[in-house]
Amino acid sequence: MSEQTTVSAEPMATEEPAAGPSPWSRLFLGGVGHNLGLVAVLALLAVVGVATADTFATTANLLTILTSASIIGVITVGATFVIIGGGIDLSVGKLMALASVWATTVATQSFGPWVMVLCALAVGAAGGLLNGLLIAYGRIVPFIVTLAMLISAQGLAERISGRRSQIVTDPTIAAIATTRLLGIPLLVYLFAAVVAIGWVVLNRTTFGRRTFAIGGNPEAARLAGLDVRRHTAALYVVSGLCCGVAAIMIASLTTTGSSTHGTLYELDAIAAVIIGGTLLSGGRGTLVGSILGVLVFTTITNLFVLNNLDTDVQNIAKGAIIVAAVLVQARARRSTP
Amino acid sequence: MTSLLTVRGIVKTFPGVRALDGVDLDVAEGEVHCLLGQNGAGKSTLIKVLAGAHQPDAGELTWAGRPVAFPSPHAADAAGIATIHQELDLVPGLSVAENVVLGHEPSRLGFTRLRDAEALTRGLLLRLGHPEIPPRREVGRLSAAGQQVVSVARALARRARLIVMDEPTAVLDPNEVRNLFRVVRELTAEGVSVVYISHRLEEIREIGDRVTVLKDGATVARDLPARTTPTAEVIRLMTGRPVEHAIPPPSAPPGDEVVLEVEDLAGADFRGVSFTVRAGEVVGLAGLVGSGRSEIVETVYGARRATAGTVRVRGRALRTGSVAAAVRAGMGLCPEERKSQGLLLHESVARNVSLPALGRFARAGFLGPDAESGAARAVMARLDVRPADPSRPVRTLSGGNQQKVVLARWLLHGGGVLLLDEPTRGVDVGARGEIYALIRQLAEQGVAVVVVSSEIPEVLGLADTVLVVREGRVVHTAPAAELDEGKVLDLVMGAAHV
């Protein structure tokens, strides 16, 4: 089901407004066509996978890929909103760590699973709101604000947890990662749900449309009567909320809340957004591209694990892919006047 | 006259567009050769071919008697062609001297010799009649006119034999224009050639030697005498039809209902501004660049914070410094800088048009895939935006059509107050007439209009009432019928110039 959701989201993911005479031409020119390069890379990786490891094409392995994509995927949804809106959020990984720690203290856990979930979402949203207020109303550049948030969130998470991993004792939260519906892990459904909601908000609401406008030309958006500052602040709240969701997912998967969670997630998320075709300067991009970017990275990791290769080589490969993807996109853009 | 540059049969195609389709051009040594054409006629593409930024698909270039090709901007630069673009391409954070020698820094053993650069710059600025510009001043702190002088100095520092100027007077006031013309005359006297592009036909008459007219990517007439060719003939060549670009007179007097009231408004650059606009009335603000006219309009709109005074729409005072409040009250602004302040260049026409009214096409915040394209199509048809395709990216439209898109936005939003800052800047003659007719039509439907323009005939032709702004004060208010161009010019320039 989750795979279907992702796939069926693609045809509609056209960011160019419906020009095509038929839905089919729209599918190819807009959604898939936009991300054709990434689909090709994924296909290539699949071929390499099948050729090098017998276990690659098994259902179990494909579900492993999706499960490990789910947490960074949820964070990437929030990062896509922020980047299309012309900003950047470096604090995502540590905001998630802070939310995981806060939601798994002995005190929070004593109130039960719902309070733990609410706590994680509230911590994420509050961190995002503070980012947003400082950027939009304090007029400090996003890079600096969210870098500061990354550092402080790390510190606060260490302070609350005493630098220890907090074990998740609540059975409901612990069960999220182990539950399967129709053979597919619940984490994958959560990931799919966040992507679906994100896609609808970005492409089918005034909020999404205004995000593109503000990222594309903030001055024009302001002079058209949009409340650019309030909207900018809201984008960081969206990113923070995604961190809150991811915090519950990672707490369940690792059965711990820890300040060491999410290290360098911000770079993975930004890299996925960029290779997904979103302009780092804002105003243009697709959520489907970002998700394909996450899947590319996760599949590479999977291939390296299956073939018992070192992570250092893996990182070199990831870096090369980022450069190659951006080169291809730049060339594609230049060919249109 | 010996020929410096000969262009024959240049063709340049982009995917889906034939931008140049047989362009001929002859530039003689020491002449000012004017290039005329509507937006989209191919002037910009031609300049880029001359500057080595585009490679032509066919055609020949002859430079100083020899066939040449400019495979890169560097090659054109080395041959002696310098281009001064509309958007000046100086580095704002570097000094005047550093900009002048940029890419050709005098150096010894790899160390730049700033003192040599400054001496060279001082000499060039003196030659250009601007010894008052300090070579060490940061370029970003100079006025638009000052920056233009620096661009010319840079061209001279590279020993350019041909300088291409793309709408150089768009950001200059009359004094600065006069100064620029003096510089151009001195350059041509020294044998430098100038290719001069402008929408202002009067300027071409004043400064030009010969005129070449482009239409739809091809040369339709070349080497016309700039001073003696009748205006009507030039317009006919540019548009392909005889065009009446006169402004239609108002058919009825404005109503009595006061829609917009500005009372004792003050901001950082102006103070004590009061005026009212009735339904169906057009109020014009005449003034030089820097007089405060744009700041006044932007403050009325809430884009700048007022330090004193009130703005009322239909009797209700607006919160100061809030564009959202002004838009809710029914105001719309077509800003001075269309590309940087008005448009989402990457987005489609439909999305540009619907921006302020987006909520209307949504249900509980949700939008259908093409929620607004029907409404956009209707308003585009009313304004004759070409091509009439709401899904087309707005950056592919010509300047005149882009301006219509900004107007369409407020037409769709449908407020009662329209503020237009330089509505015809960078707009070709044909579209200009359509925009005038549209402004008139909106006024007749009861919209209160405020027009800011540097072109005095435009203000006089459109406005019922004219406010003359000088140094941040309204120095004169009168019905347009009681004023003429000379009188407004005197008021605009101030007593010292009378």
Side-chain angles (χ1 to χ4, degrees):
Chain A
M1 151 73 198
S2 92
E3 276 185 276
Q4 273 176 0
T5 317
T6 328
V7 171
S8 67
E10 282 168 22
M12 297 183 287
T14 150
E15 302 301 345
E16 302 289 337
S22 80
W24 283 105
S25 69
R26 220 194 278 177
L27 189 159
F28 283 107
L29 295 173
V32 176
H34 218 92
N35 300 305
L36 209 55
L38 282 175
V39 175
V41 169
L42 263 183
L44 186 72
L45 290 175
V47 170
V48 172
V50 172
T52 57
D54 328 325
T55 48
F56 178 81
T58 59
T59 315
N61 187 53
L62 294 180
L63 288 177
T64 304
I65 294 178
L66 282 177
T67 308
S68 47
S70 63
I71 293 168
I72 190 71
V74 165
I75 285 180
T76 302
V77 171
T80 306
F81 274 86
V82 169
I83 294 175
I84 289 178
I88 194 89
D89 190 349
L90 299 176
S91 67
V92 285
K94 287 304 159 190
L95 213 46
M96 178 190 79
L98 176 62
S100 82
V101 165
W102 214 318
T104 55
T105 58
V106 176
T108 317
Q109 294 208 43
S110 68
F111 289 102
W114 288 109
V115 172
M116 291 171 72
V117 170
L118 280 179
C119 175
L121 294 178
V123 169
L129 183 64
L130 187 55
N131 276 338
L133 293 177
L134 286 169
I135 290 160
Y137 297 91
R139 295 171 196 241
I140 312 176
V141 294
F143 191 97
I144 292 172
V145 169
T146 58
L147 180 65
M149 176 62 73
L150 183 162
I151 297 166
S152 329
Q154 163 89 33
L156 188 55
E158 285 174 356
R159 185 164 184 87
I160 291 173
S161 65
R163 296 181 192 240
R164 283 186 298 270
S165 288
Q166 300 175 161
I167 306 296
V168 174
T169 53
D170 184 277
T172 317
I173 297 295
I176 292 173
T178 53
T179 305
R180 285 172 176 247
L181 290 174
L182 307 171
I184 296 167
L186 191 57
L187 287 179
V188 176
Y189 287 105
L190 274 172
F191 173 32
V194 171
V195 171
I197 293 169
W199 188 88
V200 169
V201 171
L202 191 58
N203 296 290
R204 289 286 181 270
T205 66
T206 53
F207 183 87
R209 202 64 89 64
R210 287 175 182 149
T211 303
F212 281 101
I214 283 166
N217 189 342
E219 178 67 0
R222 185 176 81 97
L223 291 180
L226 272 59
D227 192 334
V228 174
R229 286 193 276 181
R230 195 175 63 195
H231 195 98
T232 302
L235 289 173
Y236 289 90
V237 175
V238 168
S239 179
L241 274 173
C242 288
C243 295
V245 174
I248 289 298
M249 293 164 76
I250 202 161
S252 174
L253 190 69
T254 61
T255 67
T256 57
S258 166
S259 59
T260 61
H261 283 330
T263 303
L264 296 184
Y265 272 29
E266 62 281 352
L267 297 187
D268 284 348
I270 293 166
V273 173
I274 297 307
I275 76 163
T278 294
L279 285 188
L280 199 49
S281 52
R284 289 181 101 178
T286 66
L287 191 57
V288 174
S290 301
I291 299 309
L292 286 172
V294 170
L295 291 177
V296 165
F297 282 146
T298 325
T299 309
I300 293 173
T301 307
N302 180 260
L303 284 177
F304 277 79
V305 171
L306 290 184
N307 291 300
N308 296 317
L309 291 169
D310 285 338
T311 50
D312 41 13
V313 186
Q314 177 187 327
N315 285 338
I316 295 170
K318 280 188 185 174
I321 284 186
I322 295 172
V323 174
V326 174
L327 273 179
V328 169
Q329 285 162 13
R331 187 146 305 179
R333 210 168 298 134
R334 226 172 291 143
S335 67
T336 51
Chain B
M1 280 200 298
T2 44
S3 172
L4 178 67
L5 173 74
T6 311
V7 173
R8 284 290 174 269
I10 293 284
V11 174
K12 175 73 189 171
T13 46
F14 295 109
V17 197
R18 187 158 251 224
L20 296 181
D21 190 11
V23 170
D24 296 346
L25 175 70
D26 283 301
V27 183
E29 261 174 32
E31 80 160 331
V32 178
H33 197 106
C34 299
L35 201 53
L36 276 174
Q38 302 203 49
N39 285 315
K43 290 170 302 190
S44 309
T45 314
L46 178 60
I47 299 173
K48 285 182 181 157
V49 168
L50 295 182
H54 284 333
Q55 306 314 311
D57 303 326
E60 289 161 17
L61 294 178
T62 312
W63 175 252
R66 254 180 256 141
V68 283
F70 299 130
S72 68
H74 184 76
D77 183 61
I81 297 182
T83 307
I84 298 173
H85 292 282
Q86 235 168 312
E87 277 92 31
L88 298 171
D89 43 6
L90 299 170
V91 185
L94 293 182
S95 74
V96 170
E98 285 164 331
N99 267 287
V100 167
V101 300
L102 193 66
H104 304 260
E105 294 85 353
S107 62
R108 180 175 294 170
L109 300 172
F111 293 94
T112 54
R113 298 181 52 88
L114 206 51
R115 204 166 302 163
D116 291 358
E118 281 168 7
L120 171 77
T121 304
R122 200 169 290 120
L124 289 169
L125 291 171
L126 188 66
R127 181 172 155 203
L128 293 173
H130 285 275
E132 80 286 358
I133 298 178
R136 291 190 184 180
R137 173 75 49 86
E138 219 175 87
V139 159
R141 292 170 58 200
L142 297 177
S143 68
Q147 295 191 12
Q148 197 159 51
V149 170
V150 176
S151 290
V152 177
R154 176 152 83 168
L156 293 179
R158 298 194 185 169
R159 301 207 167 75
R161 296 174 65 189
L162 174 67
I163 302 180
V164 180
M165 297 184 174
D166 189 1
E167 294 214 40
T169 56
V171 292
L172 303 187
D173 70 33
N175 256 330
E176 294 164 337
V177 170
R178 228 167 289 145
N179 210 340
L180 176 75
F181 284 0
R182 188 182 53 73
V183 168
V184 168
R185 284 193 194 101
E186 280 170 19
L187 289 174
T188 51
E190 293 169 28
V192 175
S193 307
V194 173
V195 169
Y196 188 93
I197 296 169
S198 175
H199 281 299
R200 300 181 186 172
L201 297 178
E202 324 82 74
E203 284 180 3
I204 283 161
R205 256 188 227 309
E206 193 182 338
I207 192 75
D209 294 310
R210 297 189 297 170
V211 175
T212 291
V213 183
L214 296 186
K215 180 175 178 294
D216 299 333
T219 299
V220 290
R222 62 187 161 97
D223 308 340
L224 303 171
R227 282 178 195 81
T228 51
T229 310
T231 304
E233 170 74 2
V234 173
I235 291 176
R236 189 189 60 75
L237 286 165
M238 283 168 66
T239 58
R241 61 196 143 96
V243 164
E244 202 41 38
H245 77 285
I247 300 166
S251 64
D256 296 326
E257 185 206 355
V258 172
V259 179
L260 176 67
E261 284 171 274
V262 176
E263 200 181 307
D264 212 18
L265 196 67
D269 311 299
F270 64 91
R271 60 204 160 92
V273 173
S274 302
F275 62 93
T276 60
V277 190
R278 288 170 293 164
E281 188 181 19
V282 180
V283 168
L285 261 61
L288 303 176
V289 174
S291 63
R293 43 172 216 192
S294 293
E295 290 78 4
I296 292 171
V297 173
E298 287 174 13
T299 309
V300 168
Y301 190 56
R304 288 167 186 262
R305 198 169 282 280
T307 53
T310 47
V311 175
R312 279 189 287 272
V313 175
R314 296 200 173 84
R316 294 185 58 176
L318 297 182
R319 190 151 60 89
T320 178
S322 167
V323 175
V327 171
R328 265 197 305 278
M331 265 198 233
L333 169 74
C334 295
E336 186 177 11
E337 300 290 334
R338 195 162 47 234
K339 284 186 181 168
S340 65
Q341 299 181 297
L343 294 168
L344 310 170
L345 286 170
H346 287 311
E347 299 270 14
S348 67
V349 173
R351 289 185 175 202
N352 271 281
V353 168
S354 66
L355 196 58
L358 195 58
R360 217 179 292 160
F361 302 102
R363 256 182 224 169
F366 286 90
L367 290 162
D370 308 313
E372 72 271 50
S373 68
R377 202 181 285 277
V379 72
M380 283 167 76
R382 202 174 139 199
L383 266 64
D384 193 23
V385 177
R386 272 166 292 178
D389 174 6
S391 66
R392 205 179 165 90
V394 82
R395 77 194 133 86
T396 63
L397 270 54
S398 69
N401 281 299
Q402 289 182 348
Q403 184 69 324
K404 288 189 200 168
V405 168
V406 181
L407 279 163
R409 170 186 292 171
W410 299 115
L411 216 59
L412 182 66
H413 187 255
V417 185
L418 200 52
L419 311 174
L420 308 169
D421 196 350
E422 297 282 1
T424 60
R425 171 177 295 177
V427 169
D428 60 66
V429 173
R432 206 172 260 234
E434 295 174 63
I435 287 171
Y436 291 148
L438 181 81
I439 294 170
R440 189 58 80 213
Q441 190 192 338
L442 287 169
E444 278 162 14
Q445 288 164 8
V447 175
V449 182
V450 178
V451 176
V452 170
S453 177
S454 336
E455 294 183 35
I456 293 164
E458 186 169 289
V459 175
L460 287 176
L462 282 170
D464 300 295
T465 309
V466 175
L467 274 64
V468 179
V469 185
R470 189 176 70 231
E471 289 163 13
R473 307 295 300 251
V474 174
V475 293
H476 192 74
T477 306
E482 292 174 12
L483 295 166
D484 61 41
E485 199 175 339
K487 184 152 187 221
V488 175
L489 199 59
D490 285 349
L491 289 162
V492 156
M493 311 281 284
H497 298 274
V498 176

